[in-house]
Every structure is written in C-alpha cells, then in structure tokens.
Amino acid sequence: MAPNASVVKQAELLRNDGNHYFKKSRFGAAIDAYTEAITLCPNVPVYFTNRALCHLKRNDWERVEEDCRRAIQLDSNSVKAHYMLGLALLEKKELTKGIKELERALNLGRGANPKGYMVEEIWQVLAKAKYQEWERSSSQRSWELQSLKEACESALKEKHFLGVSEMEGFVDDATTSHLKHLEALETVFNKAAEDDTPSEVPDYLCCRITLDIFHDPVITPSGLTYERAVILEHLQKVGGFDPITREPLDSSQLVPNLAIKEAVEEYLEKHGWAYKID
Amino acid sequence: MAPNASVVKQAELLRNDGNHYFKKSRFGAAIDAYTEAHYMLGLALLEKKELTKGIKELERALNLGRGANPKGYMVEEIWQVLAKAKYQEWERSSSQRSWELQSLKEACESALKEKHFLGVSEMEGFVDDATTSHLKHLEALETVFNKAAEDDTPSEQVPDYLCCRITLDIFHDPVITPSGLTYERAVILEHLQKVGGFDPITREPLDSSQLVPNLAIKEAVEEYLEKHGWAYKID
C-alpha cells in the first residue's frame, strides 16, 4: 500500500534534515532523521543509502552492509549501494565477494556517467582489492611452483649421479647434457611463472602521458590513444591540440577505443600484478 | 633449387628505375619501384629456401608499400606472401622447441618416478600419502610444461579484440569508426562503397574520411604475431 502524499512529503522533509546533519558531520542525528523517514516510507532506497553512508563515516560496517542490502532489494541498480556494500565486505576480509560488488558498482556507474568522479573512486578501490586478490593467489602458486621445481632438480641430479657412478667413460658428455637439462628446466619454470611475475605492461596498453595502464582509453583523429581524463584536462588547461602530433583537437572528436579497452581487461585478468597503483 | 636469376635481375632493374625516378624527384613512382624490387627479391630468396633473408626483404617491401599506398592491392599481395613465409618460419622453430620441451619433460617424469619408487621401497608406512603426492607432482608438471609450450600451441582463437568482426581474421590494417568499433580497413572501405554509408554494426552514418587508424591495436597485433607465429596461418 503506497503511503499517501503527506506522508511522502514528511519523509522527504526528514531526509533533508538528515542531509543537513550529515553536512555538519552530525552523523548520529542524521541517522535518526533517515530512520524516521524510513519508518514513514520504508520503500525508498535512497534513505537506506544515505543512512549507510552515515554508518560508513562511523565505521559501523555491519550496519553499512545491512542498509546497503536493503537498498539493493529496492533498487538493484544503485551504484552507491553496491559500492558501499563492496567496501563493507572488504572490511570483513571477504575479498572475493567485495570485488564482485565493486565490479557491479563500476559497471553501473560507467553506464550512467563514465566521466563521473565516483567511477574513478570506485576504480581505485577495486584496483587495490584486485591487487590483493592477486597477491594472495600468486604467492600460493609461486610456492607450489618452487616446490615442484626443486623436486625435479633434485630427482634429475640424483639420477645423473647414479648414472655417472655406473659409467666408465663419457662422464663429461653426460655432465654437459645434465647441466643443459637443468638450464632448460629453469627456463621452463620461469615461463610457467611468467604471468605472475611483475614485468612491464606492453606500451600499447599504456597512456603515453600517464605511463599507466589505460582505464578509459580514447583515440584522437591522429590515431593515437590517450587516457580520457588526462586528454580532457589537457584540452581544457593547455590547449585545443593533440599533445603529441599538435594537430587541432576538440573533445568532441575523442572516440572510445573499445578494442584497447577489451585488451586492457584481458591483460589485467591474466596479470593481476598490473592492478598495482603507484 | 636453382636461384631464379631472372627474378633477381628484374629486381635489379626495378631498383635502377627507382633510383632514376628518385633523381627526378618523382618520389611516388620511386617508392613503387623500390617496393616491387624488394618484393621480387623477397620472392626469389624464398624460392632459394632462404626463409629469414626472404622475410626481411618482404617486410621492407610491406613497409614501403604501406607508407606509400596502404590500400593498394600490392600491399595485400605482399602481406599474403609474407604471412605464409612467417608461418613457415614459425613451424620450423616451433617443432624444434616442442621436441626439446618434450625430451626435458620425459627426463623429469622418469627421474621423479625413479626417485618415488626408490623412496617407497624404503618406506614402511605412508605409501599412500607418498603416492598421492607423487601423482600430484606429475599432474603439476604436466601443467607447467603445457604453460611453457603455450605460445607455440595454436589455441582456439586469436583474442577477439585483435580480430575484425566482419572478416573474423586477425587485423592487418585496423581502423576505428566514431562508434568506437574497429574494422579491417579494406573491408570497411568496400562496405562503404558497395553497401552504404553507415557503420556496419551500429548503423550510424559513416564516411570513409571518418576512419582513423587504430595504431594501438596495430601494435598489439604485431606483438601478438611475434609471440604466436602460428597465427600467421591464413585459412
């Protein structure tokens, strides 16, 4: 049963009160105001996300989670709800679940307003979480790989020494062959560890200005690709020209380089260490 | 196989033509002549089974040709020959690598098995644990060697973002449209000419002057081919 108009109006007034208290950092009072609004109109998602933000400011993560889940039930497309839920889950050390919520928030946010400040903020938090996730799984993988490598090396060495002691000649050849095997084994294990070994991100996946991997690559008529936020800033503050070719350039000419975006996503999936932000 | 002397001679003549045009400042004609000269030389070297040298000449021809006239028929022709040669080069070196990898893998497996059986015969208990651990080691070893062989193993597909959605082949000369989508240049030009002035996928209005070379994807394709020579194969 939908609340009547005067109840809705009252609830909105309470929400405004809550917003005022929030701006003055009076989070307890804000929470009370939002709570009253919810009592009057329990199906407005924004009341829950506003209250969740107050809980967040007070580091009351359990309540953040509660309110975000209620908000999501009412509006599954709420960027803020998914974002704050993600943060709460990270606080609980639920890395995988937290990442899932943050990714949802990022996708929803990008759909609505790709250049919004919030998208960049969500990306930063997500990148950090993804890096931690990679660190955790890669140290496990490294350890397993190292054990296996040592087992092989020691098995090969034993076999070699056993073989050599039974030989009467050709020891040098056998030794050379054995050393080559060990060398080749080193190469094989390095290759197996390659994806987990921080190296340089390929040039074509990085902005020439930021030198960082692309978040939101755009291409100019010159054929060169830049980080969107950076080229927009350049056009605004430095001048209306391509930073490298110096040809005339207007922000309306920027085209999202969707193929490179896809390339970046695949690269990060495979090389989690590249999420690290310096 | 005897070297094709007349082809080499032809290349020489073309080179002379090129010099001639160059002296007269007819640079377009000069480049065309040089391009063809390198192309002919490349073909001759391939005939002699000099794969590496032939590839070098063909690459030179391709770069010259693309610089002058990226949409020219000759560029496509040179690319086809070059791709085939590069594939052969990959085939040759990768079978060597595969063989070495396989030998090493077998040496490790047999060494691990011997060590395991020696160890088991000296144990009094815990044989099951040791065997499980041993089998896991062999499994993990399999994974490691597969990873080492990965670049050389033709996988199901070249990554989507490196392929044209229309040709389904890896890009030769990728161009991006205002929609943000990337196509093979020759194919989108043909589409605009024969089908209509719109983006094939978004159907937004599109003119050939709006096409921009996607240099980053071009670089990505080159690096991918360097690493995965099997992708040079043309079906």
Side-chain angles (χ1 to χ4, degrees):
Chain A
M1 196 171 74
N4 66 43
S6 82
V7 171
V8 168
K9 199 164 176 191
Q10 240 184 307
E12 278 298 296
L13 287 170
L14 285 161
R15 194 236 301 215
N16 280 331
D17 287 346
N19 294 350
H20 275 130
Y21 289 133
F22 183 89
K23 280 184 190 128
K24 292 187 174 181
S25 301
R26 290 176 57 190
F27 302 121
I31 288 170
D32 289 340
Y34 293 133
T35 306
E36 269 194 70
I38 288 170
T39 314
L40 291 175
C41 291
N43 294 327
V44 180
V46 136
Y47 297 163
F48 288 102
T49 48
N50 284 6
R51 194 169 71 174
L53 188 55
C54 298
H55 289 310
L56 190 151
K57 291 285 187 186
R58 291 167 84 178
N59 287 322
D60 193 349
W61 294 104
E62 270 186 40
R63 297 222 157 85
V64 173
E65 187 177 340
E66 252 174 47
D67 277 348
C68 285
R69 290 200 189 279
R70 300 270 300 265
I72 288 170
Q73 269 173 354
L74 295 167
D75 173 15
S76 60
N77 291 336
S78 167
V79 176
K80 286 182 182 169
H82 286 286
Y83 179 37
M84 289 191 279
L85 178 56
L87 292 174
L89 290 166
L90 290 185
E91 282 292 320
K92 270 165 80 174
K93 308 289 183 213
E94 301 231 31
L95 206 47
T96 315
K97 289 183 184 175
I99 284 174
K100 203 171 156 209
E101 290 300 325
L102 291 173
E103 281 175 331
R104 184 109 176 83
L106 190 65
N107 285 335
L108 288 166
R110 278 198 174 135
N113 180 13
K115 292 162 274 180
Y117 73 91
M118 198 159 171
V119 164
E120 189 52 32
E121 194 182 312
I122 299 174
W123 165 263
Q124 295 278 335
V125 175
L126 180 58
K128 195 169 163 198
K130 285 242 168 188
Y131 183 76
Q132 282 172 337
E133 190 182 51
W134 168 77
E135 255 189 325
R136 194 175 59 177
S137 48
S138 92
S139 37
Q140 175 68 17
R141 285 190 292 266
S142 293
W143 182 84
E144 283 169 357
L145 219 57
Q146 187 60 21
S147 307
L148 181 62
K149 181 181 170 194
E150 282 166 9
C152 287
E153 280 178 342
S154 99
L156 283 173
K157 279 173 186 165
E158 273 185 40
K159 186 170 176 170
H160 171 70
F161 286 127
L162 280 172
V164 159
S165 61
E166 284 167 30
M167 268 188 229
E168 292 180 353
F170 309 111
V171 172
D172 284 341
D173 286 342
T175 307
T176 317
S177 162
H178 170 66
L179 288 173
K180 277 194 178 157
H181 264 179
L182 290 181
E183 222 178 275
L185 196 72
E186 179 88 26
T187 309
V188 165
F189 273 85
N190 283 346
K191 184 82 180 97
E194 205 182 52
D195 290 343
D196 270 342
T197 312
S199 63
E200 269 188 52
V201 179
D203 283 343
Y204 56 83
L205 294 180
C206 299
C207 174
R208 280 198 229 191
I209 304 177
T210 66
L211 301 181
D212 272 334
I213 197 169
F214 284 118
H215 298 183
D216 193 6
V218 291
I219 193 169
T220 68
S222 65
L224 296 169
T225 304
Y226 302 97
E227 185 61 55
R228 187 195 291 270
V230 170
I231 184 76
L232 283 175
E233 199 180 346
H234 165 91
L235 291 174
Q236 222 180 25
K237 295 189 179 170
V238 183
F241 57 91
D242 189 302
I244 293 179
T245 66
R246 304 192 87 85
E247 289 165 13
L249 179 61
D250 179 73
S251 61
S252 63
Q253 293 174 288
L254 300 176
V255 169
N257 197 336
L258 300 176
I260 285 293
K261 196 143 198 284
E262 219 182 303
V264 166
E265 277 161 18
E266 270 201 40
Y267 190 84
L268 288 171
E269 269 309 299
K270 217 180 165 198
H271 306 88
W273 51 263
Y275 275 112
K276 188 169 190 129
I277 305 163
D278 292 313
Chain B
M1 208 171 189
N4 196 340
S6 78
V7 172
V8 175
K9 187 116 195 261
Q10 241 182 304
E12 223 10 78
L13 288 170
L14 282 162
R15 204 203 301 275
N16 285 335
D17 283 349
N19 292 343
H20 191 61
Y21 290 130
F22 193 88
K23 280 181 194 137
K24 290 193 168 179
S25 301
R26 287 178 59 192
F27 299 120
I31 289 177
D32 281 348
Y34 290 139
T35 305
E36 225 186 315
H38 284 289
Y39 181 34
M40 303 247 90
L41 255 177
L43 288 174
L45 286 163
L46 290 185
E47 286 287 316
K48 273 168 77 178
K49 306 286 185 214
E50 301 236 29
L51 206 48
T52 315
K53 289 183 183 173
I55 284 175
K56 206 166 155 211
E57 286 300 326
L58 291 174
E59 279 175 332
R60 187 101 180 84
L62 189 66
N63 285 334
L64 277 172
R66 276 201 175 133
N69 182 14
K71 294 162 272 179
Y73 74 91
M74 190 153 71
V75 164
E76 188 53 32
E77 196 181 309
I78 298 174
W79 166 263
Q80 296 276 337
V81 176
L82 179 59
K84 194 169 163 197
K86 283 240 168 188
Y87 183 76
Q88 282 171 340
E89 191 182 50
W90 168 76
E91 253 186 338
R92 195 175 58 180
S93 48
S94 93
S95 37
Q96 175 67 18
R97 285 191 293 265
S98 292
W99 182 84
E100 284 168 357
L101 220 56
Q102 187 61 21
S103 307
L104 181 62
K105 181 179 169 194
E106 281 166 11
C108 288
E109 281 177 340
S110 97
L112 282 174
K113 280 172 185 162
E114 274 184 40
K115 185 171 176 168
H116 172 69
F117 287 128
L118 278 173
V120 159
S121 61
E122 284 169 29
M123 269 188 229
E124 289 177 353
F126 309 111
V127 172
D128 283 341
D129 285 344
T131 306
T132 317
S133 162
H134 171 66
L135 288 172
K136 275 193 179 162
H137 264 180
L138 290 180
E139 223 179 273
L141 196 71
E142 178 88 27
T143 308
V144 165
F145 274 85
N146 283 345
K147 184 84 180 101
E150 204 181 53
D151 290 343
D152 270 343
T153 313
S155 62
E156 301 102 50
Q157 319 174 25
V158 177
D160 283 342
Y161 56 83
L162 295 180
C163 299
C164 175
R165 281 198 228 192
I166 303 176
T167 66
L168 301 180
D169 272 333
I170 198 169
F171 283 118
H172 299 181
D173 194 7
V175 291
I176 193 169
T177 69
S179 65
L181 297 170
T182 303
Y183 302 97
E184 185 60 56
R185 190 196 288 270
V187 170
I188 184 77
L189 284 175
E190 199 181 347
H191 166 92
L192 291 174
Q193 220 178 29
K194 297 189 178 170
V195 182
F198 58 90
D199 188 303
I201 293 180
T202 66
R203 305 190 87 84
E204 289 166 11
L206 179 61
D207 180 73
S208 61
S209 62
Q210 293 174 289
L211 300 176
V212 170
N214 198 335
L215 300 175
I217 285 292
K218 195 142 198 285
E219 219 181 305
V221 165
E222 277 160 18
E223 269 201 40
Y224 189 84
L225 288 171
E226 268 309 298
K227 217 179 165 203
H228 307 88
W230 53 263
Y232 276 112
K233 191 171 188 125
I234 306 163
D235 292 316

